[in-house]
């Protein structure tokens, strides 16, 4: 298995059983990559893997709850046993709680729950997978962020980012800041880490109210996952280019 896998690029996509995450997995699988479908729900994970394989992708399931350290450790072991390394990590898993979320009335448990997945989950998975990424010749990390995390856009008159958000948007701002710090720490390595903004995509995260398809939303993450060795790091991108912090 390891000899066979060494010829392929190995990617793990968290939250890949549906929506944008699935389309990222599908897009990278279509390139001939071996795609780990990270997901909590067993049946949805199996269904996604089956669908990807039916389309010709080399896909494998990775039971993964980004909020659980034991689950993350087991995922690391699974990837190591299967491939011996990880070339690309896409931290796509995320949760929301509906908007608007006025900070003066928001439930603190809501804030904690979103932080646990959208921020701490990224740290937990990234740090656990880094030893495998360091074994890659071209390691890439892509974090799924959003325009709503941009303080510049949030404070620009006339820019409509969908109302007040006391929990979800700040988790993406935190993720943006976190990525900058990872990029600084990893600057002496060949790891490139960037954030992707998929745009306003119709998914269950927003009640399918978005104006873009999941396939369209996956495009920027796929591009960042396939950056050349001299590509950028520590930035936030959408389909149009760099998004201001």
């Amino acid at each position: 298995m390891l000899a066979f896998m060494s010829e392929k690029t190995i990617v793990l996509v968290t939250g890949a059983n549906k929506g944008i995450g699935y389309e990222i997995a599908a897009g990278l699988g279509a390139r001939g990559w071996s795609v780990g479908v990270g997901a909590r729900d067993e049946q949805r994970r199996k269904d996604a893997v089956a669908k990807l394989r039916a389309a010709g992708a080399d896909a494998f399931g990775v039971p993964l709850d980004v909020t659980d350290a034991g689950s993350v450790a087991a995922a690391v072991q699974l990837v190591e046993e299967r491939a011996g390394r990880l070339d690309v990590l896409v931290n796509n898993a995320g949760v929301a709680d509906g908007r608007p979320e006025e900070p003066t009335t928001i439930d603190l448990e809501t804030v904690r729950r979103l932080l646990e997945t959208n921020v701490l989950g990224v740290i937990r998975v990234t740090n656990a997978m880094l030893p495998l990424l360091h074994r890659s010749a071209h390691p890439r990390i892509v974090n799924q962020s959003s325009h709503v995390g941009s303080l510049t856009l949030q404070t620009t008159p006339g820019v409509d980012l969908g109302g007040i958000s006391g929990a979800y948007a700040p988790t993406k701002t935190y993720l943006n800041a976190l990525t900058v710090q990872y990029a600084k720490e990893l600057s002496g390595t060949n790891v490139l880490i960037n954030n992707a903004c998929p745009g306003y995509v119709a998914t269950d995260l927003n009640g399918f109210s978005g104006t873009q398809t999941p396939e369209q939303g996956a495009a920027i993450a796929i591009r960042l996952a396939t950056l050349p060795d001299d590509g950028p790091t520590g930035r936030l991108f959408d389909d149009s280019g760099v998004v201001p912090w």
Side-chain angles (χ1 to χ4, degrees):
M1 175 65 75
L2 288 178
F4 170 71
M5 296 306 298
S6 66
E7 301 173 3
K8 289 179 173 284
T9 300
I10 316 300
V11 57
L12 172 64
V13 184
T14 69
N17 61 293
K18 59 182 179 177
I20 300 171
Y22 175 84
E23 294 299 339
I24 293 170
L28 295 175
R31 291 172 173 262
W33 290 20
S34 182
V35 181
V37 177
R40 293 179 298 177
D41 187 282
E42 181 179 5
Q43 191 58 53
R44 288 180 178 177
R45 183 176 63 249
K46 289 181 177 180
D47 290 347
V49 170
K51 185 178 178 181
L52 289 166
R53 288 177 176 173
D58 176 19
F60 61 99
V62 182
L64 180 57
D65 179 351
V66 303
T67 70
D68 182 88
S71 175
V72 173
V76 172
Q77 183 176 356
L78 188 155
V79 174
E80 181 163 23
E81 291 176 353
R82 180 180 177 85
R85 72 175 195 282
L86 183 63
D87 298 301
V88 177
L89 170 63
V90 180
N91 286 306
N92 169 77
V95 294
D97 199 58
R99 294 172 62 186
E101 310 158 340
E102 287 80 359
T104 57
T105 57
I106 196 167
D107 180 4
L108 288 181
E109 288 306 314
T110 296
V111 179
R112 290 190 182 96
R113 184 174 66 84
L114 268 60
L115 280 170
E116 185 62 48
T117 296
N118 298 353
V119 179
L120 300 184
V122 172
I123 298 173
R124 187 176 291 112
V125 175
T126 299
N127 290 354
M129 293 291 172
L130 266 174
L132 295 181
L133 285 161
H134 283 308
R135 297 177 189 173
S136 172
H138 312 282
R140 307 287 180 263
I141 301 172
V142 182
N143 297 327
Q144 198 73 282
S145 187
S146 171
H147 287 128
V148 301
S150 167
L151 294 178
T152 297
L153 295 181
Q154 286 281 7
T155 55
T156 299
V159 174
D160 180 12
L161 295 178
I164 297 171
S165 173
Y168 180 76
T171 65
K172 295 305 182 180
T173 304
Y174 194 159
L175 180 60
N176 290 346
L178 184 64
T179 297
V180 170
Q181 300 306 314
Y182 267 114
K184 289 170 66 176
E185 182 177 355
L186 296 170
S187 62
T189 74
N190 59 350
V191 178
L192 300 182
I193 179 170
N194 289 286
N195 284 8
C197 174
Y200 191 32
V201 177
T203 68
D204 57 1
L205 200 72
N206 56 36
F208 299 96
S209 62
T211 56
Q212 293 179 276
T213 67
E215 185 176 4
Q216 290 172 319
I220 183 58
I222 292 172
R223 181 156 66 88
L224 294 175
T226 56
L227 284 174
D229 290 342
D230 61 351
T233 191
R235 308 296 292 272
L236 170 62
F237 294 89
D238 64 9
D239 285 335
S240 298
V242 176
V243 178
W245 296 122

